[in-house]
Amino acid sequence: MIINNYIVFEGIDGAGTTTQIKLLAERFPKENVFTTAEPTGSETGKFLRRMLKGEFSVDERTASYLFAADRCEHIYGKCGIIEQTQNGKTVLSDRYFFSSLAYQSVTCGKELPELLNSPFPLPELLFYFKIDPEKSLKRVLSRGGNIEIYEKLDFQKKTAEAYDEVIKLYDGTEKGRGMTVITVDAEKSIEEIAEFIWNCVKNLPIHKA
Ligand code: ADP
Ligand code: TMP
Ligand code: MG
């Protein structure tokens, strides 16, 4: 199943998804857009954010279940993605299940994340931010603040490879049918990327709910 008017941004840490989602949202009239992210602001999401900061650890399989549970509420819960699109909004999400397929495949293998995430609907449009992990990690480090558990070069390199594989599975394939996948050269300037994304989005046939 496809969720119309649902646009997802994906990429390794520091690829620039948060920067670009804000810029894209500004192009829409406020009442027509809903910007969101995973992990979400729910109790499950907050728990995951603390785990990402390294405050405590859980078994990697447990983390996979928690990301999927947070996502389930994000899609189907009250004021969630489906409800927002039904209210006529274009939903922009900073990460979705492709993050689990990439990151959690590195931490606990492909099988569990695939199992947990295969029931979820596809977005209409997926932007995949592709960047050399050395460059993105430099951005993360220069952003300041605390470093999260996955923000290490070795891990980011493996995740970048896993993402490439995941995107291949969905781009123009039966599995990804109905979803448009657009790879973004995330090494370009913020302004160039914003323009590229807007050119893709403004030409989309926006389906009315
Ligand atoms: P992400 O959400 O993908 O982890 P951010 O959008 O938070 O990444 O960006 C990480 C850092 O890199 C921020 O300091 C941001 O200002 C900077 N940044 C984002 N996009 C670019 C870009 N295209 N070129 C240079 N720096 C960028
Ligand atoms: P971000 O808010 O900077 O995007 O950070 C979220 C972190 O959580 C990032 O390192 C990716 C990770 N993550 C997963 O490992 N699996 C997931 O399913 C999601 C949504 C995020
Ligand atoms: Mg971010």
Side-chain angles (χ1 to χ4, degrees):
M1 187 196 131
I2 300 281
I3 304 179
N4 286 327
N5 293 338
Y6 178 35
I7 302 176
V8 168
F9 285 31
E10 289 277 2
I12 56 174
D13 292 275
T17 57
T18 303
T19 302
Q20 292 298 332
I21 218 160
K22 280 191 195 138
L23 293 173
L24 179 58
E26 284 169 10
R27 308 258 193 177
F28 288 81
K30 250 202 173 103
E31 63 279 13
N32 292 357
V33 69
F34 178 74
T35 307
T36 183
E38 293 186 1
T40 70
S42 74
E43 291 306 316
T44 313
K46 285 185 211 156
F47 184 85
L48 282 164
R49 292 274 175 204
R50 288 176 46 218
M51 181 203 78
L52 290 165
K53 282 188 196 148
E55 288 183 20
F56 56 84
S57 65
V58 295
D59 184 89
E60 297 299 354
R61 288 162 291 195
T62 311
S64 280
Y65 280 96
L66 288 168
F67 281 116
D70 182 43
R71 179 163 302 128
C72 194
E73 195 58 20
H74 195 203
I75 302 167
Y76 301 111
K78 202 163 161 25
C79 303
I81 293 165
I82 291 185
E83 191 179 315
Q84 297 292 344
T85 59
Q86 282 171 348
N87 288 339
K89 308 253 186 189
T90 295
V91 176
L92 311 178
S93 183
D94 195 350
R95 301 193 178 280
Y96 187 44
F97 72 73
F98 309 96
S99 285
S100 280
L101 297 183
Y103 284 78
Q104 275 62 58
S105 79
V106 177
T107 59
C108 64
K110 283 184 197 170
E111 205 176 322
L112 184 63
E114 276 176 11
L115 182 75
L116 297 176
N117 290 283
S118 59
F120 294 132
L122 295 172
E124 182 172 7
L125 183 55
L126 167 63
F127 284 106
Y128 170 48
F129 284 55
K130 198 164 156 55
I131 185 167
D132 172 0
E134 306 218 6
K135 291 185 183 156
S136 49
L137 193 62
K138 268 193 197 139
R139 288 184 189 168
V140 169
L141 300 178
S142 65
R143 181 172 59 188
N146 292 329
I147 300 301
E148 293 188 343
I149 56 170
Y150 299 144
E151 292 172 338
K152 293 176 231 145
L153 185 56
D154 212 40
F155 187 89
Q156 293 292 319
K157 281 184 176 168
K158 288 184 195 152
T159 308
E161 278 176 25
Y163 254 128
D164 285 348
E165 272 186 44
V166 168
I167 297 304
K168 255 192 226 148
L169 280 178
Y170 285 90
D171 189 4
T173 64
E174 188 51 35
K175 212 175 168 62
R177 194 152 63 95
M179 171 175 72
T180 301
V181 179
I182 297 175
T183 297
V184 176
D185 179 354
E187 295 186 7
K188 290 199 165 152
S189 73
I190 292 177
E191 296 72 24
E192 281 174 298
I193 297 169
E195 213 46 43
F196 173 78
I197 289 176
W198 177 237
N199 278 322
C200 298
V201 171
K202 76 176 183 204
N203 294 324
L204 260 192
I206 294 293
H207 308 265
K208 283 289 148 224

